[in-house]
């Protein structure tokens, strides 16, 4: 379970009840309280470190009940998550002479549109998402923006986007990362093809010649954080799932299994 106090209290009460009543268990029961949830910046703390050190080896064969749902009904699917950084290198110049600069902000948004267009063609909504009642399909989007500081009369030299990929568990996250990297490689090989004068105007170019006669091109680099989270889809025929479904239905009068593109470490 996670560090949410309600979940901690629930599991602690369960352990106390088992200790008091001493039922005959048919399996070994292991409870893991996870600290530092969704925060990998603190070394040697959290579920990732427990896995690394082998503390959770005995539960890998399951069944596993993850008590971390923001609802009272069974959550049966999660997404893989890969966080990314897109760095766009332009050419610094006075904004009064836009035809002599390479605007990395404009290039960045055009690049993002191209990447997203290809992503949603290669990773469309999967038929099994409906079966698992996913609230949303896979997505690839920015969540943070940053550029070089300077005057408002300057075209900045670089622009940076950060965001994530949320991939339903019916696709492989490693394959997805390879595909997105290939999109960026294709863009770098033909960066000036990204220009759309109807949208950006006649002065916006991603390849220019400077006063020394050197040919300058906008450049794009994408980096993914290592060790992406991998999504799961529970086995709907398993004993564990059937027991959870039955218990929920008994207590609440109904069971409404669902899935979201949140993640599990």
């Amino acid at each position: 379970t996670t560090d949410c106090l309600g979940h901690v209290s629930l599991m602690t009460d369960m352990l106390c009840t088992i200790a008091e009543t001493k039922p005959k268990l048919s399996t070994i029961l292991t409870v893991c309280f996870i600290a530092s949830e969704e925060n990998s910046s603190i070394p040697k703390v959290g579920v990732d470190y427990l896995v690394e050190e082998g503390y959770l080896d005995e539960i890998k064969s399951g069944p596993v009940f993850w008590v971390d749902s923001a609802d009272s009904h069974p959550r049966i699917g999660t997404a893989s998550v890969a966080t990314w950084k897109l760095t766009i290198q332009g050419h610094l110049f006075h904004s009064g002479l836009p035809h002599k600069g390479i605007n990395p902000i404009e290039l960045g948004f055009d690049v993002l549109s191209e990447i997203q267009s290809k992503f949603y063609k290669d990773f469309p909504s999967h038929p099994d998402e409906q079966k698992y009642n996913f609230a949303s399909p896979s997505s690839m989007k920015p969540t943070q923006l940053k550029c070089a500081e300077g005057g408002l009369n300057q075209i900045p030299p670089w622009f940076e986007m950060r965001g994530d990929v949320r991939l339903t568990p019916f696709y492989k996250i490693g394959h997805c990362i390879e595909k997105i990297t290939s999109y960026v490689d294709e863009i770098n090989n033909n960066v000036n093809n990204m220009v759309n004068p109807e949208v950006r105007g006649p002065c916006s170019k991603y390849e220019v010649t400077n006063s020394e006669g050197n040919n300058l091109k906008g450049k794009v680099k994408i980096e993914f954080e290592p060790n992406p989270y991998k999504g799961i889809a529970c086995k709907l025929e398993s004993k564990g799932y059937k027991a959870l479904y039955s218990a929920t239905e008994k207590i609440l009068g109904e069971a409404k299994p669902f899935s979201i593109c949140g993640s599990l470490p």
Side-chain angles (χ1 to χ4, degrees):
T1 185
T2 58
D3 49 8
C4 307
L5 291 180
H7 299 149
V8 171
S9 299
L10 174 66
M11 301 309 294
T12 301
D13 188 56
M14 183 193 74
L15 290 173
C16 290
T17 300
I18 291 174
E20 292 170 356
T21 59
K22 296 181 174 60
K24 186 176 181 181
L25 302 177
S26 59
T27 185
I28 297 174
L29 178 65
T30 302
V31 176
C32 175
F33 296 101
I34 300 171
S36 191
E37 184 191 10
E38 298 180 359
N39 180 10
S40 59
S41 63
I42 305 174
K44 297 186 177 181
V45 174
V47 67
D48 294 327
Y49 180 66
L50 293 178
V51 171
E52 182 183 326
E53 292 297 306
Y55 288 107
L56 301 183
D57 286 351
E58 64 184 27
I59 69 172
K60 286 185 177 180
S61 59
V64 174
F65 293 93
W66 189 285
V67 185
D68 182 27
S69 179
D71 207 316
S72 56
H73 290 276
R75 177 170 158 189
I76 55 177
T78 66
S80 298
V81 180
T83 55
W84 51 265
K85 179 175 75 172
L86 194 66
T87 306
I88 300 91
Q89 193 70 39
H91 179 54
L92 174 68
F93 220 87
H94 193 285
S95 66
L97 299 167
H99 60 292
K100 292 191 175 183
I102 298 175
N103 192 322
I105 299 177
E106 291 184 339
L107 175 56
F109 286 128
D110 287 342
V111 165
L112 178 65
S113 294
E114 179 72 5
I115 292 174
Q116 287 180 312
S117 176
K118 291 184 176 181
F119 173 87
Y120 288 110
K121 288 178 182 177
D122 288 337
F123 303 97
S125 181
H126 194 281
D128 283 343
E129 291 168 12
Q130 185 174 1
K131 177 182 176 182
Y132 278 78
N133 197 23
F134 264 89
S136 62
S138 302
S139 63
M140 187 273 180
K141 68 283 183 190
T143 55
Q144 294 181 358
L145 305 176
K146 180 182 178 182
C147 75
E149 294 185 3
L152 293 177
N153 64 343
Q154 286 184 327
I155 294 173
W158 60 266
F159 177 52
E160 179 183 291
M161 296 186 194
R162 290 176 181 263
D164 67 11
V165 172
R166 299 268 170 170
L167 199 68
T168 56
F170 317 110
Y171 294 109
K172 300 294 185 182
I173 190 64
H175 172 65
C176 179
I177 290 173
E178 291 175 359
K179 291 294 290 185
I180 293 175
T181 302
S182 73
Y183 306 158
V184 174
D185 291 339
E186 292 173 13
I187 290 169
N188 278 321
N189 289 334
N190 302 281
V191 69
N192 212 38
N193 291 345
M194 301 298 300
V195 175
N196 185 348
E198 294 182 1
V199 175
R200 302 296 178 198
C203 296
S204 185
K205 294 179 174 60
Y206 302 144
E207 185 174 349
V208 298
T209 302
N210 65 11
S211 57
E212 288 81 29
N214 298 318
N215 190 45
L216 305 177
K217 291 184 179 182
K219 295 181 181 179
V220 184
K221 180 181 179 182
I222 192 163
E223 300 169 88
F224 287 89
E225 289 289 330
N227 304 316
Y229 288 163
K230 295 181 179 180
I232 66 167
C234 295
K235 292 182 178 179
L236 303 184
E237 307 80 23
S238 68
K239 291 181 179 180
Y241 169 71
K242 290 179 179 178
L244 181 60
Y245 185 100
S246 177
T248 304
E249 189 175 43
K250 180 179 179 180
I251 298 300
L252 299 180
E254 61 179 351
K256 297 179 179 178
F258 70 101
S259 301
I260 62 173
C261 283
S263 61
L264 296 179

